Amino acid sequence: MNFFRRNIFSKTVGAAFVAASALILPSCGIINDDIPECPEGARLRFVYDYNMEFANAFPSQVDCLTLLVYDKDGNYISSYTETSDVLADENWRWDIKLPAGDYHFEAWGGMACSDATFHFTQEPAAGSKLTDLQVAMNQNAITSPMGTKLHNLFFGALDMTVEQGTTTYTEGTVYMMKDTNNIRLLLQNINGEPLDGDDFIFTIEDDNTLLNYDNSVITGHGITYYPWTTGQVSSGVTEQGNEAKLAFAELSTSRLTLGTKPVLKIVRKSDGKALVDIPLVNYLLLLKSQEFADMESQEFLDRESRWNMVFFLENGSWMNVYIKINDWIVRINNAEM
């Protein structure tokens, strides 16, 4: 019985001591050698749902990430990069240790990879400003006569306040958009005559190789894009029993905008005749469904990044042509384009 009472007393006194000790421990924010500093900073999530599926594709499409931190006045503070497999984890968050205050975060996806095709014109450093930041296409991608498959480029920005005296990092979400596009072109003869992509010169003329800190295009740096691949594909056997062989080409471009007015051209090598010469954006915008009638044209161009255009010949000539763009058909009758 006495043993039982001693144990009750011992446990009661012990619990009271622990409670009293907790009351005199330093509170969060008071730092000494034995107690770690309480968390203070930003916990960032990255989302890429600015696409036509309206679904987060960041884990599957962004394979390297650069984060730049500026203060509220646009003064550069620090840079971070992430290239590991954590980017493919939907639950991944980036903890950035920062004192309480107002910050501007810039995120650029695709620039820290070994095969990146864009770079900062001037590496952010102490003393630089947000307005100094520009992103340019690599010179070898601009001058390549064979065309370059651009590494995907993404942009995102966030203004947020890191709270003071909290027990967890302040959470925020950086919403990304995709700047690069892939455009696949197909040429088909309705009469079944085979075509080969190597018999044509495909180009897109634009002025979009330099991007500002806010992802706007800085003009005055024109470029002619060439295909990164060309060739011939089969679409099966026609009603006449012939195998339909189509010419194809794929071109990779930087951000498409209304202001730069890119032009798509297809020239026949045998005689140098320009078979197609059209304002590219005008035709791409024809794809926009009435379901998205209220969507601004630039938003549509930014959300879509993979384009397919099929040009059909009729009676062996480029008269009475129609174009199929992402399953949407445009007819142009009795005129060369």
Side-chain angles (χ1 to χ4, degrees):
M1 181 64 67
N2 291 337
F3 175 79
F4 178 70
R5 286 177 178 173
R6 284 198 302 270
N7 274 275
I8 292 176
F9 176 79
S10 175
K11 291 178 181 178
T12 302
V13 172
F17 176 79
V18 170
S21 299
L23 291 175
I24 63 174
L25 286 176
S27 61
C28 188
I30 300 176
I31 307 169
N32 59 35
D33 293 337
D34 301 319
I35 302 172
E37 184 178 0
C38 298
E40 192 171 80
R43 174 164 293 159
L44 300 178
R45 180 190 182 203
F46 297 86
V47 171
Y48 167 51
D49 61 2
Y50 202 67
N51 49 55
M52 292 308 295
E53 290 75 31
F54 297 83
N56 183 21
F58 181 93
S60 62
Q61 293 201 31
V62 180
D63 52 357
C64 58
L65 188 62
T66 302
L67 181 69
L68 310 175
V69 185
Y70 295 84
D71 68 16
K72 64 179 181 179
D73 298 316
N75 299 302
Y76 171 79
I77 297 175
S78 55
S79 300
Y80 305 86
T81 59
E82 181 58 72
T83 59
S84 73
D85 292 341
V86 299
L87 296 173
D89 183 357
E90 174 70 35
N91 298 313
W92 174 72
R93 302 292 184 268
W94 207 345
D95 288 347
I96 307 297
K97 189 173 181 56
L98 292 167
D102 297 323
Y103 296 95
H104 176 82
F105 297 96
E106 288 256 326
W108 292 88
M111 292 182 56
C113 300
S114 59
D115 56 348
T117 47
F118 290 84
H119 65 279
F120 295 118
T121 58
Q122 177 182 334
E123 283 295 328
S128 65
K129 305 279 289 185
L130 173 63
T131 51
D132 298 330
L133 188 68
Q134 294 181 352
V135 170
M137 191 181 299
N138 293 352
Q139 190 63 29
N140 61 343
I142 294 175
T143 59
S144 173
M146 299 302 295
T148 300
K149 188 179 188 300
L150 299 176
H151 191 101
N152 287 339
L153 180 69
F154 297 84
F155 164 80
L158 173 66
D159 293 312
M160 69 174 288
T161 299
V162 171
E163 303 292 344
Q164 187 174 27
T166 63
T167 59
T168 60
Y169 283 79
T170 304
E171 296 188 0
T173 300
V174 182
Y175 290 96
M176 312 286 288
M177 65 172 285
K178 191 175 183 179
D179 283 331
T180 42
N181 296 265
N182 192 74
I183 302 172
R184 181 174 173 85
L185 307 174
L186 290 167
L187 309 181
Q188 181 175 359
N189 252 328
I190 293 178
N191 65 5
E193 181 181 343
L195 296 172
D196 193 315
D198 293 335
D199 295 331
F200 302 90
I201 300 173
F202 303 84
T203 59
I204 295 174
E205 297 173 359
D206 206 343
D207 187 356
N208 60 352
T209 62
L210 184 63
L211 302 172
N212 211 355
Y213 70 94
D214 60 357
N215 205 38
S216 61
V217 173
I218 301 174
T219 57
H221 308 82
I223 183 175
T224 299
Y225 292 100
Y226 292 92
W228 58 269
T229 183
T230 59
Q232 185 181 72
V233 292
S234 173
S235 65
V237 179
T238 66
E239 293 181 358
Q240 293 75 26
N242 301 320
E243 183 181 9
K245 294 183 178 180
L246 287 65
F248 78 87
E250 292 193 45
L251 298 89
S252 185
T253 77
S254 182
R255 187 183 180 197
L256 297 172
T257 64
L258 299 171
T260 59
K261 298 178 171 58
V263 175
L264 169 65
K265 295 182 180 181
I266 304 176
V267 174
R268 189 164 49 207
K269 288 183 179 179
S270 61
D271 57 7
K273 183 177 179 59
L275 304 174
V276 174
D277 187 343
I278 61 173
L280 177 62
V281 162
N282 294 24
Y283 283 85
L284 295 181
L285 289 175
L286 293 173
L287 166 65
K288 188 169 66 170
S289 166
Q290 284 304 111
E291 180 183 358
F292 306 109
D294 295 333
M295 183 183 291
E296 294 291 334
S297 295
Q298 187 58 58
E299 178 180 347
F300 177 70
L301 291 173
D302 288 331
R303 282 185 177 273
E304 186 62 81
S305 63
R306 296 184 179 95
W307 309 89
N308 297 287
M309 305 177 71
V310 185
F311 296 84
F312 293 88
L313 295 107
E314 188 172 350
N315 298 323
S317 72
W318 291 92
M319 307 294 286
N320 300 322
V321 175
Y322 66 91
I323 311 172
K324 188 175 182 182
I325 311 174
N326 286 20
D327 296 328
W328 205 94
I329 292 177
V330 183
R331 295 185 181 275
I332 306 175
N333 294 318
N334 301 317
E336 290 193 0
M337 292 176 287

